[in-house]
Amino acid sequence: YESLSVAELAKKLHREPSEIIKKLFMLGVMATINQELDKDAIELICADYGVEVEEEVRVDITDLDAYFEQNEENEQSMEERPPVVTIMGHVDHGKTTLLDSIRHTKVTAGEAGGITQHIGAYQVDINGKKITFLDTPGHAAFTTMRARGASITDLAIIVVAADDGVMPQTVEAINHAKAAEVPIIVAVNKMDKPSANPDRVMQELTEHGLVPEDWGGDTIFVPISALKGEGIDTLLEMILLVSEVAELKANPNRSAIGTVIEAQLDKGRGSVATLLVQDGTLRVGDPIVVGHAYGRVRAMVNDIGRRVKEAGPATPVEITGINEVPQAGDRFVVFEDEKTARQVGESRAMTAIQASRSEKQRVTLDNLFEQM
Ligand code: GDP
Ligand code: MG
């Protein structure tokens, strides 16, 4: 404690204030009951009672983002990590079909008998190299998470149907990706259709600054048919190529930090959250703060529904064991011990309650003005 009044200190020590005043007097300090004591005086009194002064936790409890920023690493502990990819594009241009197609052709073939549990993200393995796909609607991932300054994607695939061309949500997707400063790969979809016109797509995208390599630009265009599974391998190769250039790295040997992809309340399991580990390794038993929730990781399930004990960088994993349902885009941080996690979690929850209270008050005042 930086400072406490005599009365406050007495209360903490379960003593009468008069006794503290007396002790201070013996130590040559004249004090009244409301007098503020500095750190040295507090320590002196505590030492006299044989009580150790606990250092208060000094973590930035209101801002997990700030905690992220502090996340400086030395180069030596960094290792290559998989890219995190979001698929975006206009409605009906084939995002879901593409995600399904990639998953069915590539999800760790043979495992779990092809039955995949939906956890909002999945990983594929291409000759030993992994790619993480966010299986949430790309726009939601970008808008809610971007709005909070929490960018989690390394690469955006913009799907454009070759028979339909650039549409409003295509442009929106491009703008989101540009704002997030992530590289874009264009997947020109529905190439199996007789009415497919890829040249028109390229022409239209050029107007939005996406110029194909063949035309002297630096944007990769991959013609595909998500429905027929054609061009998917090339698309995956291009993703790996672009991410190699980006030199994505993380340190698997630190405590985990990351972002919430999805979360909901499960009748049997309580709060369930899909987390994307962005740095470090998350383990069962880790004390964790997730947004305004906290707890200990009770169980973890991977993208194919298997129980796992740990999850490294760029791995999506579903966890249970936290006391509340967090929101998509919330940050999570693992702490050394559960006590710290609880303190940070509770403080964050309090801050949120206070913020919503003062918001309510402000609204009430506004209403008052309106009535006048
Ligand atoms: P989303 O809204 O972007 O997720 O689009 P969907 O994946 O739901 O696809 C919309 C429709 O387009 C569905 O009827 C798909 O079967 C169809 N579709 C998607 N990809 C292809 C493709 O490569 N070729 C053809 N012919 N149809 C496709
Ligand atoms: Mg869809």
Side-chain angles (χ1 to χ4, degrees), residues 93 160-168 170-171 174 178 186 188 197-212 215 221:
H93 278 200
V160 189
D163 63 336
D164 203 23
V166 172
M167 294 307 244
T170 316
V171 179
I174 294 167
K178 280 185 178 168
V186 179
V188 185
N197 186 352
D199 275 353
R200 185 181 133 211
V201 173
M202 292 195 265
Q203 187 65 57
E204 288 170 345
L205 283 178
T206 299
E207 288 160 31
H208 296 279
L210 300 179
V211 184
W215 297 3
F221 282 65

Side-chain angles (χ1 to χ4, degrees), residues 30-190:
M30 296 288 283
T32 61
I33 186 160
N34 292 319
Q35 188 149 345
E36 287 291 318
L37 300 174
D38 63 12
K39 212 175 154 201
D40 291 342
I42 295 167
E43 270 172 7
L44 220 56
I45 294 287
C46 289
D48 206 62
Y49 280 113
V51 177
E52 263 190 45
V53 183
E54 260 185 60
E55 281 292 319
E56 247 191 310
V57 190
R58 296 240 176 270
V59 191
D60 190 346
I61 50 174
T62 52
D63 193 358
L64 289 187
D65 286 334
Y67 200 94
F68 257 65
E69 304 294 314
Q70 291 170 13
N71 178 30
E72 285 171 30
E73 296 281 0
N74 69 19
E75 269 299 307
Q76 282 159 352
S77 49
M78 303 293 269
E79 289 175 22
E80 199 183 318
R81 66 160 175 87
V84 178
V85 179
T86 304
I87 295 180
M88 298 194 291
H90 196 72
V91 65
D92 284 345
H93 278 200
K95 299 178 293 293
T96 305
T97 310
L98 176 57
L99 274 163
D100 287 349
S101 175
I102 294 168
R103 176 158 41 191
H104 287 127
T105 51
K106 292 291 171 197
V107 162
T108 33
E111 280 195 82
I115 300 158
T116 50
Q117 182 191 336
H118 178 89
I119 68 162
Y122 66 83
Q123 249 180 3
V124 299
D125 194 313
I126 295 116
N127 305 323
K129 295 224 182 254
K130 285 181 175 146
I131 304 175
T132 303
F133 285 94
L134 293 183
D135 196 358
T136 48
H139 290 290
F142 262 93
T143 47
T144 57
M145 296 181 197
R146 274 286 307 158
R148 318 172 77 206
S151 182
I152 60 168
T153 311
D154 302 306
L155 207 159
I157 306 292
I158 311 249
V159 179
V160 189
D163 63 336
D164 203 23
V166 172
M167 294 307 244
Q169 283 169 289
T170 316
V171 179
E172 221 175 271
I174 294 167
N175 292 336
H176 282 310
K178 280 185 178 168
E181 294 179 349
V182 296
I184 294 170
I185 292 178
V186 179
V188 185
N189 192 29
K190 306 199 184 184

